[in-house]
Amino acid sequence: MSSVHPRKVKLLYFAWVREKIGRGSEEIALPDNVATVADLVAWLKTRGPEFGEAFARADVVRAALDKTHVKSDARIAEAQEIAFFPPVTGG
Amino acid sequence: MGVKVQTEDFDVASEVDALASGRTDIGAIVTFTGRVRDDDKGRPIKSMTLEHYPGMTEEELSRIEADAHARWPLQASLIIHRTGELSPGDNIVLVVTASAHRQAAFEAAGFLMDYLKTRAPFWKKETSPAGESSWVETRENDETAATRWRPT
């Protein structure tokens, strides 16, 4: 099923992912063929060298859907906010 | 139960007082304070900047805290984590656990720190005296430490 008006989602980037991409957030129209977090990463990498650089080690970059940690095979479904960041180093 | 993410410093004694004041059911209080060191594996550190994911940080810390309360009979707990630019000797994080007996308080404090280090969305960037900055890498032993709480 494809929708006439792609759904808008907010993307957030943190730490070195943010620095490599050159911005902390943006709003995108989610392409119809993007179902999972991994699909989104593959699509983002086609948008420019800065995304290629940020996701060069795609297995290292972590993701959250609506502020909850997810694995790359997670379905985006109705999530409004998708975040990408390096492994956390607090504490 | 309480979670605070703040740029300001904290005072351990007054936080413990506030948590335990007027309570006669608490027999044991454990506090853990994490501080900024002046070196990272032999590399001198002039300052450390902590970035976080506002909103998710608080939610994740609350989830970790609720997990601790589900696993141990805790009377009270508190997590404070600072963000922004910090210097060697500054406080970074405070974990307080209170229980009737010491074992639950000790174990829950260890659990909270191990899970905080692997799940709470904070990122540290260190700056050397020469002004060079680099993001801190995850330590493998932090991941290993968190696995010891998993059910077998």
Side-chain angles (χ1 to χ4, degrees), chain B:
Chain B
M1 287 171 67
V3 162
K4 296 185 213 170
V5 180
Q6 61 190 45
T7 54
E8 313 87 73
D9 194 13
F10 50 80
D11 179 66
V12 180
S14 30
E15 295 295 344
V16 170
D17 273 351
L19 178 135
S21 170
R23 301 282 298 262
T24 52
D25 55 337
I26 294 172
I29 296 173
V30 168
T31 72
F32 171 85
T33 308
R35 301 169 82 240
V36 182
R37 279 190 320 275
D38 64 1
D39 84 282
D40 184 10
K41 289 171 242 149
R43 217 167 54 87
I45 301 302
K46 182 170 159 272
S47 67
M48 175 178 278
T49 306
L50 271 140
E51 178 173 332
H52 78 120
Y53 180 173
M56 179 170 172
T57 310
E58 293 81 355
E59 283 187 22
E60 195 63 31
L61 290 176
S62 297
R63 278 194 280 265
I64 296 166
E65 190 182 40
D67 285 351
H69 280 254
R71 293 179 67 138
W72 287 278
L74 298 178
Q75 256 84 352
S77 61
L78 173 67
I79 304 172
I80 301 180
H81 205 298
R82 296 181 68 193
T83 61
E85 192 176 328
L86 303 173
S87 301
D90 283 351
N91 292 324
I92 305 175
V93 60
L94 174 68
V95 160
V96 184
T97 51
S99 191
H101 304 285
R102 71 182 183 282
Q103 192 181 354
F106 274 129
E107 289 182 6
F111 170 90
L112 287 173
M113 276 310 300
D114 288 346
Y115 267 72
L116 182 156
K117 285 187 95 74
T118 54
R119 298 194 61 84
F122 291 102
W123 301 275
K124 288 177 182 147
K125 190 178 208 177
E126 295 172 340
T127 303
S128 73
E132 289 163 351
S133 293
S134 60
W135 292 99
V136 173
E137 302 244 350
T138 307
R139 289 165 201 269
E140 195 139 331
N141 59 9
D142 287 340
E143 297 284 344
T144 313
T147 62
R148 72 190 165 115
W149 303 105
R150 283 186 198 150
T152 48

Side-chain angles (χ1 to χ4, degrees), chain A residues 23 27 31 34 50:
Chain A
R23 76 201 86 152
E27 198 179 75
V34 167
E50 70 273 30

Side-chain angles (χ1 to χ4, degrees), chain A residues 9-90:
Chain A
V9 291
K10 189 177 183 187
L11 302 186
L12 296 175
Y13 311 116
F14 293 96
W16 55 253
V17 174
R18 169 179 56 73
E19 289 183 349
K20 285 180 197 289
I21 291 172
R23 76 201 86 152
S25 69
E26 63 179 320
E27 198 179 75
I28 61 153
L30 201 62
D32 279 340
N33 57 347
V34 167
T36 66
V37 170
D39 294 343
L40 178 58
V41 170
W43 177 77
L44 285 171
K45 285 168 85 168
T46 67
R47 294 172 77 212
E50 70 273 30
F51 288 94
E53 172 103 351
F55 292 103
R57 296 184 297 159
D59 53 324
V60 172
V61 177
R62 306 296 160 90
L65 292 179
D66 288 338
K67 303 187 177 74
T68 302
H69 290 288
V70 293
K71 300 245 196 271
S72 61
D73 61 358
R75 298 189 67 81
I76 294 167
E78 295 306 307
Q80 300 290 313
E81 189 173 289
I82 306 164
F84 293 102
F85 43 79
V88 302
T89 54

